[in-house]
């Protein structure tokens, strides 16, 4: 009932594939999860909206068996509580720099005795569950994605991955390019080497590595490199690309 597909897929060596939310839109969330993706990435770090605007998106995802992942704005217990209590079962944490911060992320996301999460998961009533249904499985269900973005984080990849309760260690290409002093240069050899080595470093702790690209060829390459948690863009970007791809053909047909 409360199985986290991200954990299940990556534990057996398969790939969890997801898309991001370009806006706090319930319609876009429904269209996204109906495609059959494994997770829906709801971003509260860089997007202008807050928890209230996205409060129904985790429920929409859960109804389709899609894992609702919320990226919280930072390592603050308040953000974790709110994200989990509206139904997220996966928390992405930006700017994890060392094992101590990774341990705090786990602590904030788990109920005692494993952590310090407060008990009020009111989302369950909207899916006709009870606290008694959910609470015995909550800690097992909840996944933590630690995002590596800084020079300190790069140095400590293995130590972060080794923290009990960290389920995915995530490489953000754009942020890592900034950390290396080559901001925006995604094809730079130094960044490419770091990204190619990243899954191997994470795998030393028997954990999967994650990454995001809007380019499908680069997503294919990432899977070949060993990434097992891959965000492939959004329904907006992929849909826009689809429209762009058919327009020349239709315009040519119209000229005949």
């Amino acid at each position: 009932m409360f199985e986290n597909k991200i954990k299940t897929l990556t534990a057996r060596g398969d790939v969890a594939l997801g898309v991001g939310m370009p806006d706090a839109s319930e319609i876009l969330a429904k269209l996204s999860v109906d495609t059959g993706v494994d997770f829906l990435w709801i971003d509260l770090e860089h997007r202008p909206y807050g928890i209230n605007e996205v409060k129904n998106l985790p429920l929409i995802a859960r109804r389709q068996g899609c894992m609702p992942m919320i990226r919280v704005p930072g390592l603050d217990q308040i953000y974790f509580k709110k994200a989990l209590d509206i139904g997220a079962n996966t928390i992405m944490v930006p700017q994890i720099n060392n094992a101590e911060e990774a341990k705090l992320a786990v602590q904030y996301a788990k109920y005692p005795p494993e952590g310090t999460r407060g008990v009020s998961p009111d989302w369950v009533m909207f899916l006709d569950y009870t606290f008694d249904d959910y609470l015995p499985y909550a800690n097992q269900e909840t996944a933590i994605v630690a995002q590596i973005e800084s020079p300190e984080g790069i140095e400590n990849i293995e130590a972060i991955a080794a923290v009990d309760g960290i389920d995915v260690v995530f490489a953000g290409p754009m942020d890592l390019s900034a950390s290396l002093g080559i901001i925006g240069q995604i094809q730079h050899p130094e960044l490419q080497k770091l990204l190619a080595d990243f899954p191997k470093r994470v795998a030393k702790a028997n954990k999967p590595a994650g990454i995001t690209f809007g380019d499908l060829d680069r997503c294919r390459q990432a899977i070949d490199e060993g990434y097992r948690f891959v965000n492939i863009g959004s329904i907006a970007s992929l849909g826009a690309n689809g429209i762009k791809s058919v327009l020349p053909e239709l315009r040519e047909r119209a000229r005949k």
Side-chain angles (χ1 to χ4, degrees):
M1 186 186 302
F2 299 108
E3 177 187 6
N4 191 314
K5 189 184 295 184
I6 293 169
K7 290 187 176 187
T8 302
L9 289 171
T10 57
R12 66 184 187 219
D14 290 337
V15 179
L17 297 171
V19 294
M21 284 297 300
D23 198 5
S25 165
E26 295 172 4
I27 291 175
L28 290 181
K30 183 66 166 67
L31 292 172
S32 296
V33 301
D34 282 353
T35 64
V37 291
D38 302 310
F39 66 89
L40 183 69
W41 179 350
I42 304 161
D43 187 20
L44 297 185
E45 183 191 15
H46 290 299
R47 304 305 297 155
Y49 41 76
I51 202 76
N52 193 57
E53 290 89 341
V54 302
K55 64 184 179 183
N56 292 322
L57 304 193
L59 303 179
I60 291 169
R62 280 183 179 268
R63 287 192 183 102
Q64 291 300 103
C66 177
M67 304 298 98
M69 179 181 78
I70 292 182
R71 177 162 65 177
V72 294
L75 190 59
D76 186 316
Q77 191 166 20
I78 293 173
Y79 299 140
F80 283 65
K81 288 179 182 178
K82 290 181 178 293
L84 291 165
D85 286 345
I86 65 167
N89 70 358
T90 303
I91 300 292
M92 174 184 271
V93 193
Q95 295 287 349
I96 294 294
N97 300 305
N98 51 56
E100 290 70 27
E101 291 179 353
K103 289 174 183 176
L104 272 181
V106 175
Q107 176 185 320
Y108 293 164
K110 305 284 187 174
Y111 289 124
E114 296 172 52
T116 57
R117 177 184 172 188
V119 183
S120 189
D122 289 336
W123 69 267
V124 297
M125 72 175 73
F126 297 104
L127 296 185
D128 297 322
Y129 297 130
T130 68
F131 281 18
D132 289 342
D133 294 324
Y134 170 68
L135 291 175
Y137 302 98
N139 282 357
Q140 179 181 343
E141 177 195 64
T142 303
I144 305 296
V145 179
Q147 189 167 2
I148 307 298
E149 303 178 77
S150 68
E152 183 183 357
I154 293 169
E155 182 180 348
N156 291 318
I157 288 171
E158 290 86 353
I160 292 166
V163 171
D164 188 28
I166 295 297
D167 298 288
V168 178
V169 183
F170 189 90
M174 192 63 73
D175 291 298
L176 287 173
S177 75
S179 294
L180 295 172
I182 49 172
I183 189 168
Q185 300 179 50
I186 301 301
Q187 299 303 323
H188 193 284
E190 187 177 359
L191 178 61
Q192 290 298 306
K193 183 179 187 309
L194 171 62
L195 295 179
D197 291 342
F198 195 94
K200 302 179 186 72
R201 295 180 64 183
V202 175
K204 292 177 184 178
N206 294 316
K207 302 286 180 68
I211 202 164
T212 180
F213 285 108
D215 178 86
L216 293 182
D217 284 337
R218 191 61 187 88
C219 289
R220 294 183 184 100
Q221 180 182 339
I223 292 171
D224 292 343
E225 289 172 343
Y227 288 91
R228 291 295 174 261
F229 177 92
V230 182
N231 187 76
I232 64 173
S234 74
I235 196 166
S237 62
L238 293 167
N241 289 338
I243 292 170
K244 289 177 183 177
S245 71
V246 301
L247 280 178
E249 174 198 340
L250 295 178
R251 284 180 172 141
E252 179 63 27
R253 181 177 291 271
R255 294 190 194 101
K256 293 179 180 179

